[in-house]
Amino acid sequence: MTRRPRLPSWTASLTWKAAAFLAVICCALAALLGILVHVSVTDQTVREARERALSRLDEATDAFRVGGRLGPGASLDPPGLPASLRDLAVSGQRGTMVGSHHTHPTMWAAGPAAGGKALGVEIDYSQGARTIDGLDQAILGSSVLAIGATLLVGAFAVTRVTRRLHTTARVARKISAGDLDARVGDPRTRDPARHQDEVASVAGALDSMASSLQARILTEQRFTADVAHELRTPLTGLHAAAELLPPGRPTELVRDRVAALRTLTEDLLEISRLDARSERVDLDATWLAPVAERVVRASGTGTGAVTEVVVARDVCVVTDRRRLERVLGNLVANAHRHGGPPVELTVDGPVITVRDHGEGYPAYLVEHGPQRFRTEGGTKGHGLGLTIALGQAEILGARLLFANAPDGGALATLTLPYEEPV
């Protein structure tokens, strides 16, 4: 199958398209006006030369009839007379034609004469030809100048518009990346009485949308934080009351549910802090292998067959150790809770992977990332652990990706910022 040739990427810009459109329009207008002027001036020049030639032909005809001198440029069957014009004269008609004689442009006029001959008159047409050539050059030069000036002015005007569009697009990308304080701030939108063009309308709509979105998100963040904060007090009382219950299976169930509620409340508070971007990192030089082993020990799974720590290459990175342990701990806990054994935690330089051998991550999670409390097809959801891990990784400046291994199982890859020592 033959592939169609593709244009360079820069031809997709609005500036290039507008410049090409202006160039085509200018060329078409210049060609149209040039043709009209050329045809008009050529007709006038030829008409004047024809009238002069016919006038000379009348004089030569009168002189020929009385047997007088024909005058300069007039003769019977002149050698340079075009054959078609001679045939016309011999047939008894008169006519004119632009031709050449001795490499010079010539206006010929011919009429019938006695004896089947043609009486021809030639007039120098060099001046008229030079006039037309000079006019064509002037039209071409002025068209080039006009097209160049139009392109410059058009490119300047279009560039101003595209620059504002690029600014609007850049702000939109910032907002989609989480910077809800970003605004276009187009000066045309600040004065309601000022006429707004389409770009200003788009910029104003984007700013309004960003403000509304920011207000709504802040309201949701405050609601989440307030709910989680208000739940801490009664949960503390419930926990204390549960400790006073007599031993038994019901007491164990109550304590387990209270502990789950406390964990959920702390997770909600942590997410509200992550959403508010109020967290600050405490950077320090940290070797990754000891951190991985400490996380596995703290998870209570050990380093045997259930959770295996593999150190391919240990490096020392500058990061927040507490947050790193939180990320790895959530990944390991999620692998044991939702995946299948064995779980492997691998350290390969600044890249740490956590893999299980279960059914893998759901498709929505691989494509869009973790979503809070979402469930798929009635299965158990992934809670807040992966959401917190992703938020803490962003604070560390790390990249956390979720995928499914080719031979089965979920695979989380954490890449920490690292510079090789010189």
Side-chain angles (χ1 to χ4, degrees):
M1 181 177 179
T2 304
R3 296 185 59 183
R4 297 177 58 186
R6 301 184 63 180
L7 295 176
S9 58
W10 57 267
T11 59
S13 66
L14 183 60
T15 302
W16 184 89
K17 293 179 180 178
F21 176 76
L22 289 174
V24 172
I25 295 299
C26 289
C27 290
L29 290 176
L32 178 61
L33 293 176
I35 291 173
L36 291 176
V37 173
H38 172 83
V39 171
S40 177
V41 173
T42 301
D43 288 344
Q44 181 179 358
T45 304
V46 171
R47 184 172 59 252
E48 292 176 353
R50 180 180 293 112
E51 291 175 353
R52 289 170 50 205
L54 290 175
S55 177
R56 295 279 299 276
L57 179 61
D58 291 337
E59 296 175 357
T61 301
D62 294 339
F64 178 76
R65 288 175 181 175
V66 299
R69 185 179 179 183
L70 296 182
S75 62
L76 291 174
D77 290 334
L81 184 65
S84 58
L85 185 58
R86 184 184 184 283
D87 294 339
L88 182 66
V90 171
S91 66
Q93 300 182 30
R94 299 199 313 169
T96 58
M97 178 180 291
V98 177
S100 62
H101 190 211
H102 301 301
T103 68
H104 295 292
T106 303
M107 172 62 74
W108 290 96
K117 294 183 178 182
L119 178 61
V121 175
E122 61 176 309
I123 294 178
D124 187 13
Y125 190 64
S126 300
Q127 182 62 37
R130 285 194 296 268
T131 300
I132 295 175
D133 292 340
L135 176 66
D136 292 342
Q137 293 178 3
I139 291 175
L140 181 60
S142 59
S143 299
V144 172
L145 290 177
I147 293 173
T150 304
L151 286 177
L152 289 177
V153 174
F156 174 74
V158 172
T159 301
R160 293 187 62 185
V161 175
T162 55
R163 187 183 301 117
R164 294 165 59 198
L165 288 175
H166 285 312
T167 301
T168 304
R170 184 170 60 254
V171 172
R173 285 192 290 269
K174 288 183 179 179
I175 294 174
S176 64
D179 184 6
L180 298 181
D181 293 325
R183 298 291 185 274
V184 179
D186 195 304
R188 292 169 178 78
T189 61
R190 298 173 185 172
D191 186 4
R194 187 176 180 181
H195 176 71
Q196 295 186 10
D197 58 9
E198 288 77 4
V199 180
S201 299
V202 173
L206 180 62
D207 288 347
S208 300
M209 181 198 70
S211 299
S212 176
L213 180 63
Q214 185 180 36
R216 181 173 300 182
I217 291 178
L218 290 177
T219 300
E220 293 178 355
Q221 290 175 356
R222 285 195 297 269
F223 175 77
T224 302
D226 293 342
V227 168
H229 185 271
E230 293 298 327
L231 285 175
R232 297 181 76 176
T233 301
L235 283 176
T236 302
L238 283 175
H239 180 73
E243 294 296 329
L244 299 177
L245 294 176
R249 181 60 179 167
T251 301
E252 294 179 359
L253 292 176
V254 170
R255 291 175 179 175
D256 179 69
R257 293 300 89 194
V258 171
L261 282 175
R262 292 187 66 180
T263 301
L264 177 60
T265 302
E266 295 299 326
D267 288 345
L268 288 174
L269 283 174
E270 185 172 358
I271 283 183
S272 66
R273 291 193 299 267
L274 293 174
D275 290 341
R277 300 184 181 273
S278 59
E279 299 287 287
R280 296 293 181 268
V281 294
D282 184 14
L283 299 179
D284 193 10
T286 304
W287 287 93
L288 296 182
V291 171
E293 294 172 355
R294 187 161 50 249
V295 167
V296 171
R297 287 196 301 269
S299 66
T301 59
T303 58
V306 178
T307 301
E308 180 182 1
V309 177
V310 178
V311 180
R313 181 169 67 97
D314 191 14
V315 294
C316 182
V317 301
V318 178
T319 187
D320 189 324
R321 182 178 57 82
R322 181 183 64 85
R323 297 185 187 280
L324 177 59
E325 291 179 354
R326 175 66 162 155
V327 173
L328 297 180
N330 281 12
L331 294 178
V332 171
N334 183 82
H336 283 285
R337 186 177 299 115
H338 301 286
V343 175
E344 300 174 356
L345 192 155
T346 304
V347 177
D348 187 2
V351 180
I352 304 176
T353 58
V354 177
R355 180 191 172 180
D356 62 59
H357 290 75
E359 297 181 357
Y361 292 122
Y364 76 87
L365 192 149
V366 175
E367 183 176 358
H368 303 291
Q371 302 176 28
R372 303 170 190 180
F373 300 112
R374 174 168 176 173
T375 58
E376 193 78 8
T379 59
K380 188 176 181 180
H382 283 255
L384 300 177
L386 296 184
T387 303
I388 293 175
L390 184 61
Q392 294 288 7
E394 291 178 354
I395 293 178
L396 294 175
R399 182 177 59 181
L400 179 58
L401 300 177
F402 301 95
N404 290 322
D407 55 346
L411 177 65
T413 304
L414 178 68
T415 305
L416 296 165
Y418 174 71
E419 294 183 3
E420 292 286 349
V422 180

